[in-house]
Amino acid sequence: METSGGGGDEQVIDYMQRVVGMLGAWSVGGVGSSIAGERLFPDQDRLFAKATALGGELYRATLEKREYPDQAGAKLALSATCGAGGFDEGFLAL
């Protein structure tokens, strides 16, 4: 999850997903929002429902040991750098 004071949430989530991919984790998705005040978010109920759904997706992906072909390029680059088995796979929801 990502929060910001002035928007640009999708760019930050995209960056975070690239970084975790380079570190060897699969990303199951992300959710972001600007902050509307102290502990307040615009459209808070929708945002929290999306975060809850993403948590469920993370749980299922872990149980099923899913792979995401669209993220494989970053993982292959890391594997080539570290050698076969040079990192532990994991999952992350952003």
Side-chain angles (χ1 to χ4, degrees):
M1 181 168 217
E2 176 277 336
T3 61
S4 68
D9 305 307
E10 290 303 317
Q11 293 91 344
V12 174
I13 290 172
D14 289 345
Y15 171 77
M16 291 169 66
Q17 288 175 326
R18 284 194 311 273
V19 170
V20 298
M22 289 187 296
L23 296 174
W26 298 108
S27 174
V28 300
V31 61
S33 177
S34 58
I35 297 175
E38 188 173 329
R39 299 179 189 260
L40 298 174
F41 299 92
D43 201 9
Q44 187 165 303
D45 291 338
R46 182 196 60 78
L47 178 68
F48 289 179
K50 186 175 178 183
T52 299
L54 187 58
E57 182 67 17
L58 176 62
Y59 174 75
R60 288 185 294 281
T62 303
L63 285 179
E64 298 167 8
K65 298 184 180 187
R66 290 185 198 162
E67 293 187 9
Y68 296 83
D70 60 318
Q71 299 175 34
K75 292 177 73 65
L76 287 174
L78 179 68
S79 182
T81 302
C82 296
F87 61 91
D88 291 329
E89 288 188 358
F91 293 88
L92 186 64
L94 301 169

